[in-house]
Amino acid sequence: MAREAKRRRVAEAQAKAFLGDGLPWNWSIWKADFADYTPILDFIHVLSYLFTAAKAVHADAQDAWDQYLVWMTGCWRGDIAQVLEELGAWGSKLGPPPDSAAANDPRQVVATTVNYLSNNRERKNYPA
């Protein structure tokens, strides 16, 4: 990847960004070869996690949609701390997922979403 970026003269750009999803492998590439580029977490993945979490904590479709809009807007505006705080409150209310929890268990969905957002927190400065 670094060789191709060099061939394409990417380093000559005035603004440089490295876009990736939450896979640690992507961020090891960033760290090794593109550490001077602004790291940006793919917002579509963030949206997917937030939508799934909103549906997990609200049985009513409109309530889930309204919650999703609040969380999505918060992330887009850079207020990830508020979103994590609210998800943490849901996690406390639901309780921790047992080891045997299915992937769609609301406790597991919330825990997975919190983990994803927390692990990628520094890459979500979308306002910048």
Side-chain angles (χ1 to χ4, degrees):
M1 187 178 286
R3 184 174 36 235
E4 184 62 18
K6 184 176 181 179
R7 185 186 74 76
R8 293 180 184 222
R9 302 170 59 183
V10 172
E12 295 175 26
Q14 288 182 345
K16 297 180 269 289
F18 187 94
L19 177 68
D21 63 17
L23 290 174
W25 177 74
N26 289 325
W27 302 107
S28 65
I29 293 171
W30 167 77
K31 187 175 184 178
D33 298 314
F34 302 97
D36 60 329
Y37 290 39
T38 301
I40 303 172
L41 184 68
D42 176 7
F43 196 60
I44 298 299
H45 283 88
V46 174
L47 297 180
S48 298
Y49 277 90
L50 294 174
F51 186 68
T52 302
K55 289 192 320 179
V57 300
H58 292 285
D60 179 75
Q62 187 61 54
D63 290 343
W65 180 254
D66 292 343
Q67 181 69 78
Y68 166 70
L69 291 178
V70 169
W71 287 342
M72 179 267 302
T73 302
C75 280
W76 185 246
R77 290 183 177 164
D79 196 3
I80 189 63
Q82 179 63 33
V83 174
L84 283 168
E85 184 178 317
E86 291 178 20
L87 283 163
W90 276 106
S92 294
K93 181 178 179 180
L94 296 170
D99 291 340
S100 61
N104 65 347
D105 181 312
R107 297 167 294 180
Q108 186 61 53
V109 171
V110 169
T112 299
T113 302
V114 167
N115 187 50
Y116 180 81
L117 295 176
S118 296
N119 287 345
N120 293 287
R121 189 177 197 148
E122 69 278 1
R123 301 177 191 109
K124 291 191 299 290
N125 185 2
Y126 299 114

